[in-house]
Amino acid sequence: MTESYDEVMQLLCDRLNAIVNSNTLVTADTNLITQLSIDSIKLLNLIMEIEDAFDISIPINALADVQTVRQLADLVHKIKTSS
Amino acid sequence: MSLLQKLDAAAAARKAMLPDGVGAFGIPIEEVYSATEARIGSRRVILLGTNNYLGLTFAPECIRAAHQAIDQEGTGTTGSRMANGSYFGHRALEREFADFYQCDSAIVFTTGYQANLGTISGLVGAGDTVLIDGDSHASIYDGCILSGADIIRFKHNDPDDMEKRLRRLGKRVENTLIIAEGIYSMLGDQAPLAKIVRLKNAYGCVLLLDEAHSLGVLGETGQGLVETTGLLQQVDFITGTFSKSLCSIGGFCVSNHPQLEQLRYVSHPYIFTASPSPATIASTRAALALLRNGSHLRKRLWENCNQLYAQLQEAGYQLGPDPGPVIAAIMDTPQQALLMWKSLLEHNIYVNLILPPAAPEGKSLVRCSVNAAHTPEQIRYVGDTFVKLYPMVAV
Ligand SMILES: Cc1ncc(COP(=O)(O)O)c(C=O)c1O
């Protein structure tokens, strides 16, 4: 598959900027929980959207180690390239 | 941040969301008068926030059976069945559940929560996949997490979305467990079981259905959604609870797969907890007999459900899609839901206040649960009060 890491990161930042109505600009180092205070259901729904955007399966238990946008992008990219 | 500081921060966030709502959760119930009335503070209220769907909490048959069991077997079993043994009642109740669902095997658990934990974590493990509805009950999520399987959610009650995700799993579908619920606890809507069964057969997965809120409510004999849809033989595992229509505490899993029995040896939520007390088992057995022969109760229940649902819909309330014993009025904001909840209490009506993230998709709900023991007058009074209060929350 062809999506590059940058494309994954861009999509994540765009989607996150759209769903958090705060003044924080979302970047790779933004912490999803402490800075965006995304609640668990919002995060899980975002995961569904990402699955659809890249046509992959992201098990939600794999999110246990994800805190920042970069870590999420790493996970998505890893699944994307290994599928 | 220290461990205790983290709890303080969470408490502060909760209070900030709804400063006046602090008393709304775990409200003290001072006296219970019947299946439909209790005292909260100095008010005699109509109970519309229970899951007592058949109204059996004071059924004389159940009370008598519980008394007798305490007299004969004592107050508790003081241990798990694995270590301390299975009483006659545990085994009898399992036979009765197997017979009720025309299944080969049944296992009784100590709560419905543990029935899901124990069944799911016994069926799947690391390397397997669970495909669950996005609005699943916490006991289903927790069971999946305990299992170590990969957890994939599909959009609530959306078989097309489910199929998309099944397709993506590729070869992994062979080791996939699909989980849905008969009636969803928050909005009261029913799973599209026929479509789910078609997909599970097409992809060769295993299906678990939690009938917690549909047991006793749906079907001629009260089996649940499997009975109204005629799909009993197509569902691999059915779980449920004794805490709602059966008016006690406990849970079960039934199946025609002989492998269910193996769960007794591997499932921690079954093994490492005390078995249900003799009184609990005895009242559950009596309630199950009433439930099976309770078509008159279901008739009363559905008359109440249909009347209240129609009246609230007519008044303009936004409701869940299916009429049923769970009738949820969907509010735009937590503040509106709290206002409505408080006003209903001032009118001596007790309902459930449900705020995000407990309610689906960030919604806030005023959740009513209707039962067979509510009189037509009580239901009319509740409906009329909702109608009167509507302008308060209308936009
Ligand atoms: C869908 C569902 N499953 C399981 C449970 C757990 O049942 P119990 O109260 O017996 O632990 C509940 C009730 O809270 C429920 O709503």
Side-chain angles (χ1 to χ4, degrees):
Chain A
M1 290 290 165
T2 52
E3 275 88 358
S4 69
Y5 185 84
D6 292 346
E7 277 173 285
V8 172
M9 180 64 84
Q10 191 58 49
L11 181 120
L12 286 180
C13 289
D14 289 351
R15 289 304 306 134
L16 284 164
N17 274 316
I19 60 172
V20 297
N21 42 3
S22 79
N23 300 325
T24 329
L25 182 68
V26 178
T27 68
D29 295 314
T30 306
N31 186 305
L32 295 164
I33 316 296
T34 58
Q35 282 179 278
L36 298 182
S37 53
I38 270 197
D39 73 36
S40 52
I41 293 293
K42 275 204 196 118
L43 181 60
L44 296 184
N45 290 343
L46 173 67
I47 294 300
M48 276 182 168
E49 275 186 49
I50 301 169
E51 288 181 306
D52 289 349
F54 294 118
D55 198 27
I56 54 173
S57 301
I58 308 174
I60 61 182
N61 37 316
L63 297 172
D65 299 327
V66 169
Q67 298 212 348
T68 65
V69 176
R70 190 190 313 282
Q71 286 165 339
L72 183 55
D74 289 349
L75 174 69
V76 172
H77 190 251
K78 195 174 102 200
I79 294 174
K80 184 72 200 151
T81 45
S82 64
S83 67
Chain B
M1 218 189 278
S2 77
L3 295 179
L4 299 180
Q5 281 169 337
K6 279 195 245 179
L7 286 175
D8 286 341
R14 178 171 56 81
K15 286 174 190 154
M17 170 155 90
L18 215 54
D20 315 326
V22 182
F25 299 103
I27 196 161
I29 307 237
E30 307 296 351
E31 270 181 284
V32 182
Y33 301 119
S34 70
T36 63
E37 289 192 326
R39 180 164 68 80
I40 293 179
S42 57
R43 294 176 184 284
R44 190 180 180 103
V45 300
I46 300 178
L47 290 172
L48 214 78
T50 68
N51 302 301
N52 185 7
Y53 300 126
L54 298 180
L56 295 177
T57 38
F58 285 83
E61 297 88 336
C62 302
I63 291 178
R64 213 165 28 239
H67 280 169
Q68 232 170 41
I70 289 189
D71 289 342
Q72 289 170 3
E73 297 177 285
T75 52
T77 65
T78 74
S80 86
R81 289 171 64 183
M82 181 78 123
N84 296 31
S86 292
Y87 285 23
F88 174 81
H90 296 131
R91 289 171 285 139
L93 182 57
E94 285 174 344
R95 281 192 300 275
E96 285 154 10
F97 260 103
D99 177 63
F100 179 44
Y101 279 106
Q102 302 147 44
C103 278
D104 293 335
S105 308
I107 298 185
V108 161
F109 291 86
T110 304
T111 66
Y113 178 85
Q114 284 161 289
N116 277 334
L117 246 61
T119 304
I120 297 167
S121 65
L123 285 173
V124 290
D128 301 325
T129 303
V130 277
L131 185 61
I132 64 174
D133 187 283
D135 283 2
S136 291
H137 187 261
S139 58
I140 293 174
Y141 276 99
D142 291 354
C144 294
I145 291 166
L146 181 65
S147 77
D150 282 347
I151 307 164
I152 307 285
R153 294 162 82 230
F154 59 91
K155 285 195 182 131
H156 174 58
N157 270 356
D158 185 340
D160 292 338
D161 191 77
M162 184 177 139
E163 172 155 33
K164 186 166 65 185
R165 289 165 208 287
L166 275 171
R167 206 172 337 104
R168 273 185 205 140
L169 286 173
K171 252 179 64 65
R172 281 183 287 165
V173 289
E174 289 165 17
N175 288 331
T176 294
L177 174 68
I178 299 171
I179 307 180
E181 295 171 36
I183 290 181
Y184 283 86
S185 57
M186 291 297 132
L187 293 177
D189 46 347
Q190 300 175 19
L193 191 58
K195 289 185 177 158
I196 292 175
V197 160
R198 194 177 51 71
L199 287 173
K200 91 113 193 167
N201 287 333
Y203 284 85
C205 310
V206 170
L207 174 61
L208 184 154
L209 185 71
D210 180 352
E211 297 265 27
H213 291 267
S214 31
L215 170 69
V217 166
L218 295 176
E220 181 56 32
T221 67
Q223 285 173 337
L225 189 61
V226 288
E227 191 169 8
T228 47
T229 54
L231 292 168
L232 174 62
Q233 298 304 328
Q234 299 291 320
V235 175
D236 297 279
F237 296 89
I238 298 172
T239 56
T241 170
F242 309 159
S243 72
K244 304 185 195 302
S245 54
L246 292 170
C247 298
S248 67
I249 305 182
F252 69 90
C253 178
V254 294
S255 177
N256 270 324
H257 295 295
Q259 291 84 352
L260 178 65
E261 284 299 316
Q262 177 62 14
L263 260 56
R264 295 187 201 273
Y265 304 93
V266 297
S267 172
H268 285 202
Y270 174 81
I271 302 170
F272 294 100
T273 194
S275 59
S277 76
T280 299
I281 292 289
S283 80
T284 307
R285 292 181 64 199
L288 182 59
L290 296 175
L291 181 152
R292 294 177 77 155
N293 297 309
S295 45
H296 59 294
L297 297 173
R298 279 180 281 285
K299 182 166 170 292
R300 282 287 312 122
L301 169 65
W302 279 94
E303 283 164 4
N304 286 341
C305 300
N306 289 330
Q307 188 190 326
L308 190 62
Y309 189 91
Q311 199 174 357
L312 265 55
Q313 193 172 44
E314 166 90 29
Y317 285 97
Q318 194 197 338
L319 305 176
D322 298 322
V326 176
I327 301 180
I330 302 167
M331 303 283 144
D332 288 335
T333 64
Q335 290 75 16
Q336 277 191 344
L338 177 64
L339 181 64
M340 191 68 186
W341 180 86
K342 277 187 170 169
S343 307
L344 286 164
L345 195 55
E346 280 159 17
H347 287 79
N348 303 324
I349 297 169
Y350 174 68
V351 298
N352 306 121
L353 175 65
I354 313 284
L355 302 180
E361 290 173 27
K363 291 170 181 151
S364 296
L365 309 176
V366 170
R367 174 190 184 271
C368 308
S369 100
V370 174
N371 80 40
H374 285 123
T375 63
E377 293 71 36
Q378 285 175 323
I379 294 295
R380 205 169 310 119
Y381 172 73
V382 170
D384 290 347
T385 308
F386 264 97
V387 171
K388 187 171 105 182
L389 295 176
Y390 184 70
M392 212 172 60
V393 292
V395 274

